[in-house]
Amino acid sequence: MNKTFILITLILLALQIDTLAQQINLIDSCASDYDESVDYFPEKVEITDAENFSVDYFNHYKVVTVSDAFDGADPFTYVLVQCGTPAPDAANFPTDTQFIEVPTEGMIALSTTQLPHLVELDLLDSLLGLDTFLYVNTPQVNEMIADGDLIEVGSGTSVNTELILDSQADMVMTFAYSAATNAHPVLTQAGIFTAINAEWREATPLGRAEWLKYMALFYNAEAEAEQIYSDIVSAYDDARELANSIPEEERPTVLWNSFSNTADAWRIPGRDTYAGALIQDAGGRIALGDTVPPESALLGFETVYDGAFDADIWITNAYGITSLDAFLGREERYAYFSAIETENIWNNTLDINQNGGNNYFELGVTNPHLILQDLVAIFHPELMPDHEFTFYMPLIASEEE
């Protein structure tokens, strides 16, 4: 073969590769021959429902901001630099900004809610460790645990920084309730890149689910995340539209949660809360919803009983409870509620592991359409007569009763 022809072919191939690199994100490699005029992130995410994170794109880096991570928190800023390109001047960012090269290759997750992100984005091979193995429901992750492929690093202020450093993980993803009790100050002081995930602060089911895109940013997997999230939104909207066909006067009144003896209060969701959105989107009416603020309220037992004892449906959200006997054993006054007599009382404990890890809080966060489908089937069984439940189960009286 002519040497000139071979040379021309190689040049054309190189040009095609460069062109391709400008059309798609680099998810498996670093940039070569850095060119400041090239947009290394042609595939971008658009944030439509989440309110607590944002991303600004520049040619070879992204600036990710997490706001309202916990009460009183200042925004967290992360600069994600395409590997193979220079980092921007740190002087142009807040002093506590963290920098990381992307795509990242290894991470440690300190919340089970992050595991479905990795599975759906096909990034599970980057997972190196967890806070604890006890509460994991994701089958693929449990297989990794059984095979000895993951490490257990602890959480909060007792997180094992030495073990994390030894793992050579590029990043840790965590959550926070306060700077005093959570892991991120300990980790960042040890020089470990730590990304705060604040999905739990979102007020809507789709807002929480969209944090899938936050995970994707660290892997340049924006295109995949956009498609996955689009499918989630479509499925959620289908269930919501199905429930919207029910006239207002035919919608059941739904009592949400149960009394907490430790807090001496009953949390009733307001219309502008995560739970409030689920109830309304599933074609229900919030018991006491007209009497509490949009952000929810803590009420006494007697107040809830007086205003909602005759609610049509009771969604208890009681930790670990899978039987009516166990539920009534917590509070004998529950027996006076109408939903007990009509056997229309449900809990989100259909899929829990032996340690109490609940898949409602793992798989359900990223897949709110599965939660909504369950609720539509509970509130309006005629709309979904063949529905197979994912998270909710009825609490049924024993035969002796």
Side-chain angles (χ1 to χ4, degrees):
M1 184 177 292
N2 187 288
K3 291 183 179 180
T4 302
F5 176 78
I6 294 175
L7 180 60
I8 292 173
T9 301
L10 291 173
I11 292 172
L12 290 174
L13 181 60
L15 289 173
Q16 289 176 351
I17 292 173
D18 282 346
T19 301
L20 185 63
Q22 295 176 45
Q23 295 174 348
I24 63 175
N25 291 1
L26 299 173
I27 59 174
D28 295 316
S29 61
C30 294
S32 59
D33 299 323
Y34 167 64
D35 183 345
E36 64 179 8
S37 67
V38 171
D39 180 1
Y40 289 92
F41 310 113
E43 297 169 321
K44 299 173 173 58
V45 294
E46 180 183 356
I47 311 303
T48 56
D49 295 291
E51 296 184 350
N52 292 335
F53 83 95
S54 63
V55 56
D56 295 306
Y57 287 94
F58 300 87
N59 274 8
H60 67 287
Y61 65 95
K62 323 166 196 180
V63 179
V64 180
T65 304
V66 175
S67 58
D68 193 32
F70 51 88
D71 289 344
D74 292 327
F76 292 86
T77 304
Y78 310 114
V79 177
L80 283 54
V81 183
Q82 172 61 55
C83 64
T85 72
D89 188 351
N92 295 326
F93 301 94
T95 56
D96 57 355
T97 298
Q98 295 182 71
F99 290 73
I100 188 173
E101 288 190 343
V102 293
T104 187
E105 294 184 354
M107 74 161 295
I108 291 173
L110 298 190
S111 172
T112 58
T113 63
Q114 297 150 21
L115 303 181
H117 295 169
L118 296 173
V119 172
E120 302 219 14
L121 291 167
D122 196 23
L123 296 170
L124 199 55
D125 59 352
S126 72
L127 183 65
L128 301 178
L130 303 168
D131 57 339
T132 176
F133 298 159
L134 292 176
Y135 306 114
V136 174
N137 284 275
T138 302
Q140 300 93 322
V141 178
N142 276 321
E143 289 180 10
M144 296 174 72
I145 293 170
D147 292 340
D149 294 334
L150 301 178
I151 58 174
E152 208 170 12
V153 302
S155 61
T157 55
S158 62
V159 66
N160 191 328
T161 58
E162 292 184 3
L163 188 58
I164 294 173
L165 289 168
D166 288 343
S167 75
Q168 298 185 341
D170 292 333
M171 64 176 287
V172 173
M173 186 171 288
T174 186
F175 63 95
Y177 296 127
S178 73
T181 61
N182 289 105
H184 66 279
V186 177
L187 295 170
T188 55
Q189 288 170 14
I192 299 168
F193 182 93
T194 307
I196 296 287
N197 186 313
E199 62 197 357
W200 67 282
R201 301 281 283 187
E202 298 287 346
T204 67
L206 289 176
R208 294 187 185 186
E210 196 167 23
W211 280 74
L212 169 83
K213 298 179 183 179
Y214 178 75
M215 178 71 78
L217 291 171
F218 294 94
Y219 293 89
N220 290 346
E222 281 93 331
E224 294 83 353
E226 282 290 320
Q227 183 58 60
I228 294 167
Y229 185 67
S230 176
D231 293 342
I232 291 169
V233 172
S234 179
Y236 190 94
D237 285 343
D238 286 347
R240 177 164 48 188
E241 289 173 10
L242 187 64
N244 281 344
S245 66
I246 301 297
E248 183 66 28
E249 63 273 13
E250 296 180 18
R251 299 187 175 200
T253 301
V254 180
L255 178 60
W256 194 264
N257 290 330
S258 47
F259 183 70
S260 170
N261 289 305
T262 56
D264 195 30
W266 194 315
R267 182 174 293 278
I268 298 297
R271 62 179 180 274
D272 293 342
T273 62
Y274 174 84
L278 285 171
I279 295 169
Q280 294 168 104
D281 288 347
R285 293 180 292 178
I286 307 169
L288 295 169
D290 294 335
T291 65
V292 301
E295 298 79 19
S296 78
L298 294 174
L299 303 178
F301 188 100
E302 291 76 12
T303 301
V304 175
Y305 180 77
D306 289 343
F309 75 93
D310 58 350
D312 301 302
I313 298 169
W314 189 354
I315 307 294
T316 65
N317 302 308
Y319 177 77
I321 294 294
T322 58
S323 72
L324 186 60
D325 290 344
F327 185 63
L328 294 176
R330 288 190 172 185
E331 174 54 69
E332 61 183 14
R333 292 177 293 178
Y334 288 157
Y336 299 108
F337 285 80
S338 295
I340 299 288
E341 298 179 7
T342 60
E343 296 186 342
N344 212 345
I345 178 170
W346 299 74
N347 202 16
N348 59 8
T349 49
L350 181 59
D351 188 5
I352 58 176
N353 70 16
Q354 66 272 21
N355 300 309
N358 192 336
N359 216 12
Y360 177 91
F361 300 107
E362 187 171 329
L363 180 66
V365 174
T366 307
N367 297 275
H369 59 290
L370 299 178
I371 298 176
L372 189 64
Q373 290 165 1
D374 274 7
L375 292 176
V376 172
I378 293 170
F379 298 175
H380 306 288
E382 72 282 3
L383 295 178
M384 303 181 70
D386 300 320
H387 178 68
E388 294 186 10
F389 286 91
T390 305
F391 304 113
Y392 282 97
M393 61 179 295
L395 298 183
I396 302 171
S398 64
E399 292 182 2
E400 289 76 10
E401 294 180 343

